[in-house]
Amino acid sequence: MLVYNSQTHAKQELEPIEPGKIRMYVCGPTVYDQIHIGNGRTFLSFDVIRRYLSYKGYQVTFAQNLTDVDDKIINRANEQGRTAEEVASEFSEAFICQMRRLNVLDPDIRPRATHEIPAMIEMIQGLIGQGNAYAVDNGDVYFSVRSCPTYGCVSGRKVDELQVGARIEENEDKRDPLDFALWKGAKPGEPSWDSPWGKGRPGWHTECSAMVHRYLGTPIDIHGGGADLIFPHHENESAQATCCWHEPLANVWMHTGMLRVDGEKMSKSLGNFFTLKEVLDKYPADAVRLLMLQTHYRSPLDFSYERLDGTVGSLDRLTGCVANLRWAADQASASDHEVTDADHALGAAVAGAREEFGRQMDDDFNTAGALAAVFGLATASNAYLDQMGGDVCTSATLRASDTLVELLGVLGIESVRPATTELPHELVTLAAEQAGYAGDDADEAAKALLAARAAARAEKDWARADAIRDGISALGLVMEDTAAGTRLKMASAGKAEA
Ligand code: AMP
Ligand code: ZN
């Protein structure tokens, strides 16, 4: 399968370092506030990449850090009169909670910067020992960019061009304006740890290299993040690791395109953001996933609530299709069905959708193309149901619904799966009252009620027909007319999720 390596600007065959295994790392959030849906897009993209690699049979080890010490956290803590630790702990939990609501799988390893200080100090000592870093009097330690012959290899920037663009900073402790902090000497009121250079805390780029090395071993197969991390963050991570351990940090660097609002990158500083929490309070996670996955992960994604509303409709269409297929198969199970060309055509549509899904995902995780294959199968399935009336081929019909559920499941879209608790048992009582039903099966009771209502309508006994309908809706059910007949289903829960 092909993956796009932003380091080479080209797609390349994915060749795991260890056969059958993928080790991947995706930079996590700085936990000073709720994340916004732009951040959510990046984490969701890598969730799907990870899920698909597992689906292909790779044994995937996925690590993601929490940056729980940083200027932004310290500033937020000072504004609110709290400790940095309190702020970081609150928003680490909030991040984990929102990721789970979005059905993003937990990482296998979730290191926190504040728990990894010894590994970072060890890396910095290694860099100083090899002449790639230097400590200055105030307790800061800097990475010497010009000491790294491969500097620029991730972002494609040249050191001399960077030099021209570098701001003349007031910081006179640095030997070169290009150098960046590996360790920052403690300032009053800031969290700090003991180190060979006195009390201090790590610079932002330090943690990821140290964690990747400690938990996954370098080089790893895939290193990911949003495209805004390519420079300087990933460039610096790469330089630290390459100089310290004399190996590249990652074989493939993958970066997601930015989520935008009105053409502008969503960001905290511009104020044009929606938090993931507020969006998930209003919309089902699967609608958010569907919206995001309808754009390739490397392309920019224009977000609007109008688009998200449209996606709710698309999700309903898929859910309805799966439910109607299963229901039609259920109704038809007793009948003798003679195999027709239409059955073969549905079988071919299933096989075609599977193949196309795999082809699109194998081409650098083209979820937009993969979803087009899924929607194509839904359209073919609906057409089949319309054409066949109630006389469907059970196995072809179930294969179509199972395939829709399976392929969407690979993308982490799981609400289309039919509920296990199909119809409420109260239907039995209602059917006993309204339709003279004497059994104890909710599905049979539904049939009896629908037959009684149809009979009442045929006799123009509207009062009775309405009473049956009202009884049904009082149980939270609605009637849906399908080609295979009328069926009862749970009324849609609407946009909001509990
Ligand atoms: P941060 O906490 O700022 O480091 O961001 C966490 C992740 O979200 C990083 O991988 C960023 O690249 C990514 N990110 C930030 N803004 C956006 C955006 N508007 N669209 C997509 N990803 C973003
Ligand atoms: Zn990182």
Side-chain angles (χ1 to χ4, degrees):
M1 64 179 298
L2 295 175
V3 294
Y4 184 90
N5 187 349
S6 22
Q7 189 169 21
T8 57
H9 303 282
K11 289 180 193 171
Q12 66 186 63
E13 195 60 41
L14 180 66
E15 281 166 6
I17 294 166
E18 266 184 85
K21 295 186 180 168
I22 296 286
R23 287 173 292 134
M24 65 189 283
Y25 181 93
V26 174
C27 298
T30 304
V31 283
Y32 71 104
D33 205 343
Q34 289 282 349
I35 62 161
H36 60 62
I37 53 171
N39 309 131
R41 183 209 188 182
T42 289
F43 300 130
L44 170 61
S45 301
F46 285 102
D47 179 58
V48 170
I49 288 167
R50 171 194 187 182
R51 283 172 184 266
Y52 186 65
L53 291 170
S54 301
Y55 177 72
K56 291 276 285 184
Y58 291 108
Q59 189 188 319
V60 181
T61 309
F62 184 99
Q64 177 168 75
N65 64 315
L66 290 172
T67 300
D68 61 352
V69 55
D70 175 86
D71 290 340
K72 288 186 197 140
I73 299 171
I74 295 167
N75 293 342
R76 181 60 53 97
N78 289 340
E79 279 161 31
Q80 299 182 341
R82 305 160 76 193
T83 65
E85 204 179 348
E86 280 165 356
V87 170
S89 157
E90 175 185 345
F91 291 108
S92 297
E93 291 315 309
F95 170 70
I96 292 169
C97 169
Q98 300 310 320
M99 284 290 101
R100 289 180 180 163
R101 285 179 84 194
L102 188 58
N103 201 19
V104 167
L105 298 172
D106 283 348
D108 299 303
I109 306 154
R110 188 173 348 242
R112 295 168 196 245
T114 55
H115 297 197
E116 302 297 327
I117 304 291
M120 291 191 242
I121 289 176
E122 196 182 315
M123 182 182 86
I124 297 170
Q125 281 179 309
L127 289 168
I128 295 176
Q130 298 181 90
N132 299 111
Y134 53 92
V136 299
D137 289 345
N138 66 1
D140 291 354
V141 181
Y142 292 98
F143 183 87
S144 162
V145 165
R146 286 185 184 276
S147 76
C148 174
T150 57
Y151 196 84
C153 73
V154 175
S155 62
R157 301 191 190 205
K158 302 215 164 42
V159 171
D160 289 331
E161 289 165 9
L162 288 171
Q163 183 77 64
V164 173
R167 273 180 295 131
I168 309 298
E169 293 184 35
E170 309 226 327
N171 184 343
E172 287 171 2
D173 299 318
K174 282 197 212 178
R175 293 182 191 160
D176 186 320
L178 291 182
D179 296 350
F180 58 88
L182 293 167
W183 186 262
K184 298 176 176 183
K187 298 206 179 67
E190 290 186 357
S192 63
W193 290 261
D194 288 328
S195 83
W197 318 286
K199 281 195 172 295
R201 62 185 167 99
W204 172 34
H205 315 296
T206 311
E207 62 187 81
C208 294
S209 312
M211 291 168 180
V212 168
H213 186 72
R214 173 163 187 209
Y215 290 101
L216 299 174
T218 48
I220 54 172
D221 295 287
I222 295 174
H223 192 317
D228 58 343
L229 294 189
I230 297 176
F231 189 88
H233 185 55
H234 285 170
E235 192 65 67
N236 291 353
E237 280 186 29
S238 164
Q240 291 162 178
T242 314
C243 290
C244 193
W245 302 296
H246 312 288
E247 271 173 331
L249 184 58
N251 271 5
V252 180
W253 291 83
M254 297 181 73
H255 294 101
T256 50
M258 292 294 107
L259 182 140
R260 309 189 296 200
V261 188
D262 299 329
E264 244 182 326
K265 176 190 167 187
M266 178 171 284
S267 76
K268 279 272 156 66
S269 52
L270 290 174
N272 61 347
F273 64 91
F274 305 113
T275 65
L276 182 59
K277 178 178 185 309
E278 69 183 289
V279 172
L280 290 177
D281 283 345
K282 286 188 250 164
Y283 289 85
D286 277 352
V288 178
R289 292 185 77 103
L290 192 56
L291 173 72
M292 293 193 176
L293 298 176
Q294 278 176 310
T295 300
H296 188 274
Y297 78 87
R298 280 192 287 118
S299 304
L301 187 156
D302 287 301
F303 176 84
S304 71
Y305 275 112
E306 289 74 29
R307 286 192 69 192
L308 189 50
D309 284 331
T311 312
V312 172
S314 309
L315 186 63
D316 279 350
R317 205 161 76 77
L318 292 170
T319 311
C321 178
V322 168
N324 286 344
L325 284 166
R326 294 183 76 94
W327 191 72
D330 221 36
Q331 302 299 299
S333 54
S335 72
D336 295 311
H337 172 78
E338 280 187 25
V339 175
T340 66
D341 285 350
D343 301 330
H344 289 305
L346 182 62
V350 167
R354 277 185 172 283
E355 201 185 311
E356 182 62 11
F357 183 93
R359 193 169 31 237
Q360 294 292 343
M361 291 298 283
D362 281 350
D363 182 10
D364 190 32
F365 308 96
N366 187 354
T367 53
L371 278 168
V374 171
F375 279 109
L377 176 57
T379 304
S381 301
N382 287 335
Y384 172 80
L385 292 177
D386 283 345
Q387 183 183 347
M388 302 304 281
D391 183 22
V392 299
C393 165
T394 315
S395 64
T397 306
L398 285 179
R399 216 171 316 123
S401 83
D402 289 350
T403 301
L404 288 168
V405 170
E406 178 187 325
L407 298 182
L408 287 165
V410 176
L411 304 178
I413 296 174
E414 292 173 346
S415 61
V416 294
R417 192 188 291 146
T420 40
T421 48
E422 287 280 318
L423 291 173
H425 194 256
E426 287 94 325
L427 273 175
V428 169
T429 319
L430 185 66
E433 289 164 12
Q434 301 276 2
Y437 175 67
D440 191 38
D441 181 90
D443 290 327
E444 292 299 323
K447 277 187 204 163
L449 279 166
L450 289 169
R453 179 166 177 270
R457 286 165 67 91
E459 291 160 19
K460 299 199 172 7
D461 183 352
W462 307 119
R464 194 166 132 66
D466 287 352
I468 295 175
R469 188 201 54 208
D470 292 347
I472 287 169
S473 60
L475 295 178
L477 299 165
V478 291
M479 285 176 277
E480 187 184 25
D481 291 317
T482 75
T486 304
R487 76 178 183 95
L488 292 188
K489 64 171 194 179
M490 298 303 290
S492 159
K495 286 195 295 191
E497 242 193 354

